[in-house]
Amino acid sequence: MLLADDQALIRSGVRALLQAEDDIEVVGEVADGAAAVAATNAVRPDIVLMDVQMPGTDGIEATRQIVGNPHLPGVHVVMLTSYGLDEHVFAALRAGASGFIVKDTEPADLVQALRVTMRGDALLSPAVTRRLIAEFVARPPELRSGASLAQLTNREREVVAMVALGLSNDEIAQRMVLSTATVKTHVGRAMTKLQARDRAQLVVIAYQSGLVAGGR
């Protein structure tokens, strides 16, 4: 885990929280986006917890550079923001962020959200509700061509649509009367075919291609 925030107090508080967890290791902390990009290239953490607004290179641009780097396929960026719904968050989602956590999130929820991101099983932390998805998909910047969805099987399209509605693998399995392992396989194949790094990008593709309508 790499921490990127221009406020030393925030960094020290989050570090202290995470260091108490046996399964989470903080490998570094930086104070701006440019340093976050450099540190990510150097230590290749599983997750970068990235503040949105920082001096110089902000968190959105840093996220874009990290996600766009083909040498960092296993790195996921989780945005840390003071506001649950603002244009910075929408821009970060389009830049490739894997999730969002607001700074007033309860400590236990923060830890759980990071674990969920590691599993790739959900898009947002409990503190950022599905309203964020609704706000985002109601005003996408442009529609992607639906042609890329043609390579999906009918079952894969159905699974992707449910992912876009915010359902977990277990919830999808219950609805489709499948095993969770089978659902995970369908999700993985869809991500590979659509070249999506994670479920967050899968959601964006689903809405911007028209597979799922913003009002659903």
Side-chain angles (χ1 to χ4, degrees):
M1 172 84 57
L2 175 71
L3 305 178
D5 195 298
D6 62 327
Q7 299 181 46
L9 185 60
I10 295 293
R11 296 199 308 272
S12 62
V14 173
R15 174 187 279 273
L17 172 67
L18 298 181
Q19 284 182 330
E21 303 299 322
D22 294 335
D23 58 340
I24 299 177
E25 179 185 3
V26 178
V27 296
E29 59 180 74
V30 295
D32 61 72
V37 173
T40 301
N41 277 286
V43 302
R44 305 198 177 200
D46 294 318
I47 294 179
V48 180
L49 186 58
M50 181 92 70
D51 188 23
V52 171
Q53 295 179 296
M54 293 183 288
T57 302
D58 64 17
I60 296 172
E61 177 56 30
T63 297
R64 186 176 293 112
Q65 292 182 27
I66 291 171
V67 172
N69 188 336
H71 300 296
L72 300 172
V75 178
H76 298 280
V77 179
V78 175
M79 306 303 299
L80 189 62
T81 176
S82 299
Y83 310 100
L85 293 169
D86 67 4
E87 290 301 327
H88 295 294
V89 174
F90 302 132
L93 181 55
R94 295 180 182 116
S98 295
F100 303 90
I101 299 172
V102 290
K103 290 185 177 180
D104 61 356
T105 295
E106 291 294 325
D109 288 340
L110 168 61
V111 173
Q112 179 60 22
L114 294 175
R115 288 184 176 131
V116 164
T117 302
M118 291 280 291
R119 294 199 308 265
D121 192 38
L123 173 62
L124 304 172
S125 74
V128 181
T129 68
R130 291 179 185 179
R131 180 181 165 210
L132 176 59
I133 301 177
E135 289 280 347
F136 170 72
V137 301
R139 46 177 173 173
E142 61 183 8
L143 289 177
R144 289 176 58 122
S145 168
S148 60
L149 297 180
Q151 56 193 308
L152 301 183
T153 65
N154 290 337
R155 182 54 58 89
E156 288 167 353
R157 288 166 65 95
E158 190 175 357
V159 168
V160 170
M162 291 189 185
V163 168
L165 295 176
L167 300 183
S168 68
N169 287 348
D170 288 340
E171 291 170 328
I172 295 172
Q174 291 175 4
R175 289 198 181 192
M176 299 183 69
V177 195
L178 298 171
S179 70
T180 300
T182 298
V183 171
K184 186 175 182 180
T185 297
H186 286 313
V187 172
R189 287 175 177 169
M191 288 173 57
T192 298
K193 291 178 180 180
L194 298 176
Q195 298 182 337
R197 284 172 56 100
D198 51 33
R199 290 171 83 98
Q201 288 194 346
L202 205 57
V203 170
V204 173
I205 293 171
Y207 280 104
Q208 293 191 335
S209 65
L211 177 62
V212 178
R216 288 181 56 186

